[in-house]
Amino acid sequence: MTSNVQDAVAVMKQFRPDMAFFRDSYRQIHRMPELSGQEADTALLVSAFLESLGGFTVHTGIGGHGIAAVLSNGDGPCLLLRADMDALAILEQTGLPYASQRTMMDQDAAKPVMHACGHDTHVACLMATTQLLYDSRAHWRGTLICLFQPAEETLSGAKAMIEDGLFEKVPKPDLVLAQHVDNLRTGAITSRGGPLLMACESLGVRIFGAGGHGGLPHQCVDPVTIGCSIVTKLQTIVSREVEPGKLGILTCGSIHAGDTAGTIPDHLDLKVSIRAEDDATHRKMHASVKRIIEAECRAGGATRTPQYNTIMSGSATVNDEDSFQRLRSSFVSYFGSDYSDMDTAAATEDVHLLATAAGAPLVMWFFGGTDATQWDETERDGRLDELPVPHSPFFAPSIECLDVGVNALSLAALTFFAPGLHE
């Protein structure tokens, strides 16, 4: 290890908090998942913990249930560490003793809710890291911002916090750090410089026809045939319009029209997801989607121009290369062969909005949450593609992965903070 990493590791070992409390907090948060914008109970648990430390200025209710706690600790860089808090409308099937049985109202319907994306893990890891950094504050200098964000799953939480005056309440950071659990082997760490996560946009599209009797199609304009042509044609965008070597994914995840077999409906609703590794590719794909939809509507004699609704939108997450290389050096030195470089992932985040609004670089990484024994057995049998992934009802990060998340987040912060006040 380098001397800087050795110093950081010594601090981590000396001031590592009792993880029993944070494992219990993790189980509690897992039992009480909350949908985007409804994270009241989680925010209350987190804010009570932060207030108990005594040294932080704690701001609550930012952009909904967002929390930002600030610790000023001498001259040095200002770092923002972020964890997201919201869960998903999914029925949990993990079989865990602390599995969620909660339902919540979502768009006027009661839905089962679970932490299928590991945000409960993120919250517990940041809470423990906050404790470690607070207790070790004599050994580093700078300003620490611990941010607990709502509504990441809808890609609206970071924006809401910014628009609610986040950076009028707390200093603008010099660097934003974030992590995410994945279905890698527990102990594994992975990241990359440059494009990390894809830009994503979900579009709702309504195609207009002229409904009528299924036995009199010549008197109607059938939006179903138009919609089917659209779905087929959209699949040519990635293969024929995205530059080779660039990553682009287009999915038509929902198509609905009518309710009976013998009636031609008067409209069709289509939902399209666009993902791209960079914003320029995303803009090109978006334009192609609209061009094809409108051309097929004209060809099919649609009675009106299509109607669009942006359900969700987020730009690409890009790791700052210089900051990433510095952190990569620490990770390789500490985690050894458990660290690996990754390819751009086909997921989308909104944490980069915090960095952009602050004019700061961003570094994000992933840590493994699959039980090591389970991973090894699955790898031996050649079935790694069967392991539950985030957003699966079976996704259940191991309790041991909390230690890895705390190690990674603490090491990252100590890598960038200035040397201690008392050596």
Side-chain angles (χ1 to χ4, degrees):
M1 294 185 190
T2 64
S3 58
N4 288 342
V5 175
Q6 287 176 339
D7 292 342
V9 171
V11 169
M12 291 160 57
K13 288 182 177 179
Q14 181 178 352
F15 294 97
R16 187 172 190 83
D18 181 0
M19 288 299 293
F21 170 80
F22 300 103
R23 292 189 184 100
D24 287 343
S25 298
Y26 164 70
R27 294 185 187 100
Q28 183 177 350
I29 297 168
H30 190 90
R31 286 192 191 99
M32 60 175 206
E34 296 169 296
L35 294 174
S36 303
Q38 302 183 52
E39 308 91 343
D41 291 343
T42 307
L44 185 63
L45 182 152
V46 170
S47 60
F49 164 74
L50 294 169
E51 294 285 2
S52 73
L53 297 178
F56 284 83
T57 301
V58 182
H59 303 271
T60 60
I62 309 174
H65 296 292
I67 300 169
V70 183
L71 176 63
S72 299
N73 192 41
D75 294 333
C78 179
L79 305 184
L80 187 154
L81 280 54
R82 176 273 208 167
D84 36 13
M85 300 188 291
D86 54 331
L88 289 157
I90 294 174
L91 176 64
E92 181 161 357
Q93 300 180 52
T94 62
L96 292 170
Y98 48 89
S100 167
Q101 296 182 5
R102 174 173 270 190
T103 60
M104 298 189 78
M105 295 302 294
D106 181 33
Q107 298 179 353
D108 299 323
K111 296 182 180 179
V113 185
M114 75 168 286
H115 269 295
C117 202
H119 295 185
D120 48 351
T121 306
H122 305 167
V123 172
C125 287
L126 182 51
M127 288 172 63
T129 300
T130 302
Q131 179 82 64
L132 188 156
L133 293 173
Y134 179 72
D135 291 344
S136 67
R137 59 194 181 279
H139 295 268
W140 57 268
R141 293 182 298 166
T143 298
L144 171 65
I145 304 171
C146 296
L147 186 144
F148 296 82
Q149 182 199 307
E152 185 279 330
E153 294 293 355
T154 56
L155 302 181
S156 60
K159 181 180 179 182
M161 293 188 75
I162 294 163
E163 292 180 346
D164 198 22
L166 170 66
F167 293 121
E168 297 168 9
K169 298 175 174 67
V170 307
K172 288 187 176 180
D174 299 308
L175 177 66
V176 174
L177 298 171
Q179 62 181 5
H180 201 298
V181 70
D182 206 347
N183 70 333
L184 304 167
R185 187 182 194 274
T186 290
I189 300 285
T190 188
S191 188
R192 61 169 285 140
L196 180 75
L197 301 174
M198 290 186 169
C200 178
E201 180 179 22
S202 295
L203 287 176
V205 186
R206 175 159 287 188
I207 308 301
F208 295 95
H213 197 289
L216 302 170
H218 60 292
Q219 295 180 1
C220 308
V221 175
D222 190 349
V224 175
T225 58
I226 298 173
C228 291
S229 295
I230 288 171
V231 171
T232 301
K233 186 66 173 178
L234 288 178
Q235 302 311 309
T236 66
I237 292 176
V238 172
S239 65
R240 287 296 174 266
E241 298 190 40
V242 172
E243 178 184 341
K246 295 283 187 181
L247 290 177
I249 302 170
L250 191 145
T251 300
C252 299
S254 174
I255 185 168
H256 177 79
D259 295 299
T260 64
T263 302
I264 293 174
D266 59 8
H267 68 268
L268 173 142
D269 289 320
L270 176 67
K271 292 180 181 178
V272 181
S273 171
I274 304 167
R275 296 182 184 271
E277 72 170 290
D278 56 60
D279 293 338
T281 303
H282 170 256
R283 287 192 296 270
K284 181 174 183 179
M285 292 178 67
H286 175 93
S288 297
V289 166
K290 294 187 72 173
R291 185 194 75 241
I292 287 171
I293 289 173
E294 290 162 14
E296 291 294 335
C297 283
R298 288 194 299 271
T303 56
R304 288 175 53 187
T305 57
Q307 185 180 79
Y308 299 97
N309 172 44
T310 300
I311 301 168
M312 185 186 302
S313 180
S315 54
T317 299
V318 180
N319 273 346
D320 176 70
E321 190 67 49
D322 291 341
S323 302
F324 163 73
Q325 290 298 339
R326 184 174 172 185
L327 183 57
R328 183 184 186 278
S329 178
S330 292
F331 279 173
V332 170
S333 182
Y334 180 68
F335 291 105
S337 61
D338 283 333
Y339 173 82
S340 63
D341 291 330
M342 61 181 281
D343 295 326
T344 302
T348 305
E349 258 278 3
D350 66 352
V351 65
H352 61 88
L353 296 179
L354 299 170
T356 300
L362 165 74
V363 182
M364 185 177 187
W365 62 91
F366 291 83
F367 65 100
T370 300
D371 175 79
T373 300
Q374 180 187 7
W375 172 278
D376 293 341
E377 291 175 353
T378 307
E379 184 180 38
R380 183 192 62 216
D381 296 340
R383 297 183 293 107
L384 286 178
D385 59 347
E386 297 178 13
L387 289 173
V389 298
H391 292 220
S392 161
F394 301 99
F395 185 63
S398 69
I399 205 79
E400 291 77 17
C401 81
L402 295 178
D403 297 277
V404 182
V406 173
N407 289 343
L409 195 54
S410 302
L411 178 58
L414 292 169
T415 293
F416 293 99
F417 274 132
L421 299 169
H422 305 291
E423 299 293 346

